[in-house]
Amino acid sequence: MNQTLSFARTNTGEPHARRRRELLTRYPEIRKLAGFDRSTAAVAVAVSAAQLAIASIVGHARLRWWWVLPLAWAVGAPLTHWLSMAIHETSHRLAAKTRRANEVVALVANLPMVLPVAATFHRYHVDHHRLLDVLGGDTDLPLAFEVRWVGRSSVRKALWLFLHPLVYIARGFTFAKRPNRKEIANAIVIVLVDLAIARFLGGAALAYLAISFYFAHGLHPVAAHFVHEHYTFEKGQETYSYYGPINLIAFNVGFHNEHHDFMNVPGSRLPELRRLVPEYGALVSHRSWTGVLWRFIRDPALSYASRLVRTKETFLRARKEAT
């Protein structure tokens, strides 16, 4: 166990606000890409229905666990992750015109996920953008305990990635506030849906959905974006994009530099943004999420400490200087 690992500190503000201003000056046509994309809502409804239909088949066929596990890995996890990314899009109001409509789309996407996540994600995700890599502010940063315990060990890194759904929930409790009405309503709806699935489709159907959710956020290629986005693969670079094929079933969440620079551009238009802005080609990026996981686990130079972080004072000072 390595007790000396710690985050790399930066004395600069977060890079995206500065780059956003610069790029809008050079490419004012970027503004035309902003807005929302109704097709996101349609995809969310279709994928949610498909996942519930598969669960129904699993339940009625009374599949054994040795069939449920590979089905959840190969089919359920990609579909569940796709729905998670739909919730991500709605948190930025990119699936519909109004906040309420986006919340409805998020709830539909949440239906096959077993746990109520939509309203809570909407409530806290903005802090990840607003306070990127700010200690005590960014909900995406690992805890100091994780950094120390996992260290550089490949085995511990693999174990922690496998446990990531539980770890992510535990991290969330360090930021959690009293649940608001939307979160309570979200929880009630999902509990009722879970009870209905167990009652009418059977335990195997509910198990398929739960295992799909776990795989979709754990040690699985579709979950590699939790590593690729902000862990430091190149000294000094804070955010990374992924330009591989899984973007097709993830609302292009891999275009992550583009997303952080322009959060008001829907995922469907991020490839167009990249084509418009040649500067993105100069940044280090990834082509394989499986490769990201393999490198992160095997490379002793990479760990949960491989993050650039800043204090809130540094963040506020940089923001004041920029205005």
Side-chain angles (χ1 to χ4, degrees), residues 37-46 48 83-91 93-113 118 122 251:
D37 186 345
R38 290 187 178 89
S39 69
T40 299
V43 171
V45 171
S48 183
L83 293 172
S84 294
M85 295 305 99
I87 293 174
H88 172 260
E89 287 286 289
T90 60
S91 73
R93 302 191 203 179
L94 299 175
K97 186 174 182 179
T98 66
R99 177 195 292 269
R100 181 61 60 86
N102 278 284
E103 290 170 348
V104 171
V105 175
L107 183 59
V108 171
N110 196 172
L111 294 179
M113 291 190 185
H122 275 213
F251 298 106

Side-chain angles (χ1 to χ4, degrees), residues 110 200 211:
N110 196 172
F200 296 107
I211 296 168

Side-chain angles (χ1 to χ4, degrees), residues 182-314:
K182 291 178 181 179
E183 289 176 288
I184 293 170
N186 189 177
I188 291 171
V189 170
I190 297 303
V191 167
L192 291 175
V193 169
D194 290 347
L195 291 173
I197 290 171
R199 172 67 178 83
F200 296 107
L201 302 182
L206 193 62
Y208 162 76
L209 294 176
I211 296 168
S212 295
F213 180 90
Y214 194 89
F215 284 158
H217 299 87
L219 188 56
H220 191 288
V222 297
H225 72 89
F226 291 109
V227 175
H228 107 255
E229 292 170 351
H230 300 291
Y231 283 85
T232 309
F233 289 82
E234 180 73 17
K235 187 176 180 180
Q237 185 171 320
E238 200 161 341
T239 304
Y240 299 79
S241 288
Y242 154 77
Y243 299 125
I246 301 178
N247 277 310
L248 295 173
I249 55 170
F251 298 106
N252 291 314
V253 73
F255 289 69
H256 216 64
N257 268 303
E258 294 85 344
H259 170 61
H260 270 265
D261 286 353
F262 298 97
M263 292 173 285
N264 59 348
V265 174
S268 60
R269 297 173 198 155
L270 291 178
E272 186 177 350
L273 173 61
R274 184 193 176 209
R275 288 191 292 270
L276 183 63
V277 180
E279 284 86 343
Y280 287 125
L283 297 172
V284 174
S285 60
H286 302 289
R287 293 286 176 179
S288 167
W289 269 349
T290 303
V292 165
L293 288 178
W294 179 254
R295 181 179 170 187
F296 183 76
I297 291 170
R298 296 294 299 164
D299 189 345
L302 293 169
S303 72
Y304 279 95
S306 300
R307 294 285 295 257
L308 283 174
V309 299
R310 55 182 54 84
T311 64
K312 193 166 187 178
E313 291 73 23
T314 296

Side-chain angles (χ1 to χ4, degrees), residues 21-230:
R21 290 191 297 269
E22 294 172 354
L23 292 179
L24 283 174
T25 299
R26 268 176 264 162
Y27 309 101
E29 57 269 39
I30 290 174
R31 291 185 174 87
K32 297 178 182 178
L33 300 177
F36 62 93
D37 186 345
R38 290 187 178 89
S39 69
T40 299
V43 171
V45 171
V47 175
S48 183
Q51 181 71 330
L52 289 170
I54 295 170
S56 177
I57 293 170
V58 169
H60 285 101
R62 297 181 180 179
L63 295 182
R64 299 290 185 178
W65 64 266
W66 53 81
W67 288 108
V68 172
L69 282 176
L71 183 63
W73 172 270
V75 179
L79 292 180
T80 301
H81 181 264
W82 202 350
L83 293 172
S84 294
M85 295 305 99
I87 293 174
H88 172 260
E89 287 286 289
T90 60
S91 73
H92 293 286
R93 302 191 203 179
L94 299 175
K97 186 174 182 179
T98 66
R99 177 195 292 269
R100 181 61 60 86
N102 278 284
E103 290 170 348
V104 171
V105 175
L107 183 59
V108 171
N110 196 172
L111 294 179
M113 291 190 185
V114 179
L115 295 178
V117 298
T120 300
F121 189 85
H122 275 213
R123 185 180 183 186
Y124 292 101
H125 178 64
V126 66
D127 286 340
H128 167 58
H129 286 269
R130 188 172 59 87
L131 298 170
L132 179 65
D133 286 330
V134 172
L135 289 168
D138 187 350
T139 56
D140 185 61
L141 281 172
L143 304 177
F145 159 76
E146 300 174 60
V147 172
R148 292 193 304 269
W149 188 84
V150 176
R152 302 184 188 278
S153 165
S154 293
V155 172
R156 288 198 185 102
K157 283 188 279 186
L159 175 62
W160 219 240
L161 288 170
F162 177 76
L163 295 174
H164 184 261
L166 304 177
V167 170
Y168 199 78
I169 292 171
R171 284 180 196 163
F173 279 117
T174 66
F175 295 91
K177 307 176 184 74
R178 184 188 297 273
N180 61 27
R181 287 180 295 176
K182 291 178 181 179
E183 289 176 288
I184 293 170
N186 189 177
I188 291 171
V189 170
I190 297 303
V191 167
L192 291 175
V193 169
D194 290 347
L195 291 173
I197 290 171
R199 172 67 178 83
F200 296 107
L201 302 182
L206 193 62
Y208 162 76
L209 294 176
I211 296 168
S212 295
F213 180 90
Y214 194 89
F215 284 158
H217 299 87
L219 188 56
H220 191 288
V222 297
H225 72 89
F226 291 109
V227 175
H228 107 255
E229 292 170 351
H230 300 291

